[in-house]
């Protein structure tokens, strides 16, 4: 895969009702919801995303599955654009990100991260 072109990542995120921090983490007994933990993740990673030029192209609210498992649902759906694959790698190896990701791990019950190549938008399928 090319690394020197923009990369778009489709993110599908389902949150836990109650965040599940490691037992030795300061927030382990705080009783935070998954949504509260995920908000902490967003707040702590925002400066890193800004520095690396990572943007959210699209964000939507889940309404229902028309084709797929009927019990599937997502709490966050968005497309993030990274200037290059190198920017993604730099993000996930950044020491501040590695500290903040504990909130994401505590918050998320399951997720999908799907790498996409930007393409021309058009009026037809296929």
């Amino acid at each position: 895969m090319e690394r020197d072109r923009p990369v778009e990542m489709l993110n599908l995120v389902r949150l836990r009702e109650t965040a599940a921090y490691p037992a030795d983490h300061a927030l382990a007994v705080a009783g935070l919801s998954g949504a509260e933990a995920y908000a902490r993740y967003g707040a702590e990673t925002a400066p890193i995303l800004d520095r690396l030029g990572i943007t959210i192209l699209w964000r939507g609210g889940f309404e229902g599955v028309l084709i797929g498992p009927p019990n599937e649902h997502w709490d966050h759906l968005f497309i993030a654009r990274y200037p290059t694959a190198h920017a993604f790698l730099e993000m996930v190896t950044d020491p501040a990100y590695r500290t903040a990701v504990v909130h994401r791990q505590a918050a998320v019950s399951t997720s999908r991260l799907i790498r996409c190549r930007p393409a021309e938008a058009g009026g037809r399928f296929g």
Side-chain angles (χ1 to χ4, degrees):
M1 287 189 222
E2 293 179 53
R3 294 183 178 262
D4 294 322
R5 62 166 173 77
V7 173
E8 294 173 1
M9 298 279 198
L10 171 60
N11 290 255
L12 306 173
V13 179
R14 183 178 317 141
L15 300 174
R16 301 175 200 273
E17 190 170 318
T18 303
Y21 284 94
D24 62 344
H25 193 276
L27 295 173
V29 295
L32 295 179
S33 68
E36 290 169 322
Y38 198 75
R40 285 176 182 253
Y41 167 70
E44 291 184 22
T45 58
I48 300 162
L49 275 60
D50 290 343
R51 178 174 51 81
L52 296 174
I54 300 164
T55 58
I56 303 301
L57 292 181
W58 175 87
R59 183 182 317 271
F62 180 80
E63 291 187 339
V65 174
L66 301 179
I67 299 173
N71 61 344
E72 191 171 79
H73 73 275
W74 302 102
D75 296 302
H76 294 278
L77 303 92
F78 61 95
I79 298 172
R81 173 176 276 166
Y82 299 80
T84 64
H86 299 290
F88 178 81
L89 182 60
E90 188 173 344
M91 178 190 75
V92 298
T93 59
D94 183 283
Y97 181 87
R98 293 172 65 87
T99 299
V101 78
V102 70
H103 300 298
R104 184 187 190 287
Q105 293 165 337
V108 174
S109 67
T110 192
S111 64
R112 307 291 182 271
L113 181 60
I114 302 167
R115 180 179 168 154
C116 304
R117 179 185 335 89
E120 288 292 320
R124 299 180 209 178
F125 297 117

